[in-house]
Amino acid sequence: MHKNNQKNTRTIKKRQLKSVLAKLLVSEVAIQKRIDKFLKECKQTAFPKTTGPIISVKNLFKSFYAHRSERIILKNITFDINCGDCISLLGNNGAGKTTLVHCLCTLLKPTNGGIEYLYHYKKKPTESMGIMFQQNVFIPSFTVWDYIQFVLSIYESNISIENLALLLTVLKLGDKLNDRANQLSGGEKQRLNLLLSFICNPMILIIDEFTNNLDQATKKRLISFIHAYVKAKNITLLFVSHDPVEVSVLANKIMIINDGSIQRYDTYAKVLKNYKDIYHLIGELV
C-alpha cells in the first residue's frame, strides 16, 4: 500500500464527513461531478502496469477431514493472475469457488501445492488486497463509523474525506454512520463490506457475490462504478458471481470451476465462443 498522504486517513472526523456528504446529496449532478473527479484521480495514482503474473497458483489441493474421512474440495488447481485481469469465477454451488478465494486470501492453507505472490509487500500479501466475503459477520457493538475508522487505522490508505464521502454516497451508506453494523439489512451489510474493501486502496480486489440482496437500480449503478474504478486505477479483480450482468460488464477473463477442478480458464471472448451468450453459460452452471 502507498504511504503518501497518510494524514488524510488518520484525521478524518465524522462531523467533517457529514458536512461533505450533505453537499454531495444536493443533486445527482453533484454526485456525478464528484465521481468524474474521483476517476480522474484514480488514473493519476493508478497502480503500474506490469508484465507477467502477480499471483501464481501451482498444483493446489485443498481437503478437509471429518469423521476420519477426507473430502477433497480443490484438485490440482494451477493458474496465473496477471496485473489488470478482471476474472469472473464461475461454477455451481459447492464447486470450490469460495474455498479457492479463501486460499488466495491466506485464510486457508493449501493441503498440497502452493500460491506464490509475486508483487511487493512488507509482511503479508493481503496488505495489497481488498477483500469482501459473502458472509456478513459483524461485532455487535461496532457501528458503521467504527468499522471505517478501524480499517483506516490498519491500512496505509490515502483516501481523502471527499472520496470517502463519495463511496458512502454511491453505496448508499451516508446516513448509516451511527448505525450498528450487525443491525443493517442484508443489502446494507453487503455494501458496507464492499466499502471496507475499497477504502484500503487495494491493488487486488477480491469480492464474493457482491450484488446479493441489492435492488436492481443499486446493482446497476454499483456494477458500473466498479467497472470504471478498477479500469481507472488498474486494479486486478477476482469476483465470484452467478450474475450475467456482473460478468458481462466486469470480466475480461472467465474461470469455470467444476467439482473442485478448473474446467476452463481463458479470455471472456474465447470462453463465450462455445455458448450463445453469457446467460446460457451461467444457466448451464446453476
Side-chain angles (χ1 to χ4, degrees):
M1 295 300 170
H2 301 307
K3 281 189 173 182
N4 55 308
N5 299 326
Q6 284 190 54
K7 61 182 180 180
N8 288 342
T9 64
R10 304 302 173 84
T11 59
I12 289 178
K13 303 296 182 183
K14 184 161 61 173
R15 183 178 297 179
Q16 295 172 324
L17 182 59
K18 286 184 174 181
S19 177
V20 177
L21 281 165
K23 293 177 183 178
L24 272 179
L25 294 174
V26 171
S27 68
E28 285 292 323
V29 174
I31 295 172
Q32 189 56 54
K33 283 183 177 180
R34 185 60 225 177
I35 289 176
D36 293 342
K37 186 175 181 180
F38 170 76
L39 294 175
K40 184 178 180 180
E41 292 172 0
C42 286
K43 289 181 180 179
Q44 293 170 346
T45 60
F47 294 103
K49 295 181 179 180
T50 60
T51 58
I54 57 174
I55 297 177
S56 185
V57 181
K58 294 181 180 179
N59 309 119
L60 186 148
F61 287 79
K62 182 59 188 176
S63 58
F64 296 95
Y65 290 86
H67 308 293
R68 297 183 179 180
S69 63
E70 180 183 20
R71 184 187 175 196
I72 302 175
I73 307 299
L74 297 175
K75 308 166 186 176
N76 200 27
I77 300 291
T78 296
F79 68 98
D80 290 335
I81 299 176
N82 296 319
C83 176
D85 280 349
C86 294
I87 303 167
S88 177
L89 191 55
L90 304 179
N92 57 20
N93 292 331
K97 304 184 301 296
T98 297
T99 300
L100 177 57
V101 166
H102 286 184
C103 288
L104 290 170
C105 298
T106 72
L107 289 179
L108 290 175
K109 184 178 180 181
T111 306
N112 286 300
I115 303 173
E116 191 174 4
Y117 301 91
L118 302 171
Y119 53 87
H120 175 74
Y121 58 88
K122 288 183 179 179
K123 297 180 180 179
K124 299 178 180 180
T126 50
E127 294 166 7
S128 296
M129 293 182 184
I131 303 165
M132 189 210 111
F133 296 122
Q134 193 174 1
Q135 300 89 346
N136 295 308
V137 180
F138 295 101
I139 299 171
S141 62
F142 269 41
T143 65
V144 170
W145 177 241
D146 290 332
Y147 270 103
I148 291 171
Q149 287 186 304
F150 174 72
V151 171
L152 292 180
S153 70
I154 60 175
Y155 282 94
E156 297 175 357
S157 170
N158 63 350
I159 193 168
S160 66
I161 191 169
E162 291 81 11
N163 288 342
L164 176 57
L166 174 65
L167 292 174
L168 283 162
T169 302
V170 170
L171 294 166
K172 295 186 177 181
L173 292 171
D175 60 346
K176 303 294 181 181
L177 293 176
N178 295 323
D179 290 13
R180 293 184 185 274
N182 71 322
Q183 294 178 359
L184 297 175
S185 69
E188 289 165 348
K189 289 176 179 177
Q190 286 288 93
R191 300 198 302 271
L192 174 56
N193 269 331
L194 199 55
L195 171 71
L196 299 177
S197 70
F198 283 168
I199 64 177
C200 65
N201 190 31
M203 183 181 76
I204 300 166
L205 187 60
I206 299 177
I207 49 182
D208 191 348
E209 302 282 7
F210 72 94
T211 60
N212 277 5
N213 303 309
L214 302 185
D215 62 81
Q216 290 299 312
T218 301
K219 182 172 79 169
K220 183 178 179 181
R221 182 174 187 172
L222 190 52
I223 292 171
S224 177
F225 178 80
I226 291 175
H227 178 254
Y229 172 50
V230 298
K231 185 176 180 180
K233 192 74 175 175
N234 194 35
I235 292 171
T236 300
L237 174 66
L238 176 69
F239 65 104
V240 178
S241 179
H242 291 98
D243 188 285
V245 177
E246 287 178 30
V247 179
S248 63
V249 174
L250 296 176
N252 57 29
K253 288 185 177 180
I254 289 177
M255 179 184 294
I256 300 174
I257 302 289
N258 182 33
D259 193 27
S261 299
I262 295 178
Q263 179 177 316
R264 187 79 186 271
Y265 181 44
D266 213 327
T267 65
Y268 180 94
K270 288 182 179 179
V271 172
L272 263 290
K273 279 185 177 180
N274 297 325
Y275 300 88
K276 182 178 179 181
D277 53 35
I278 188 62
Y279 292 88
H280 284 79
L281 168 57
I282 292 179
E284 288 189 12
L285 297 175
V286 296

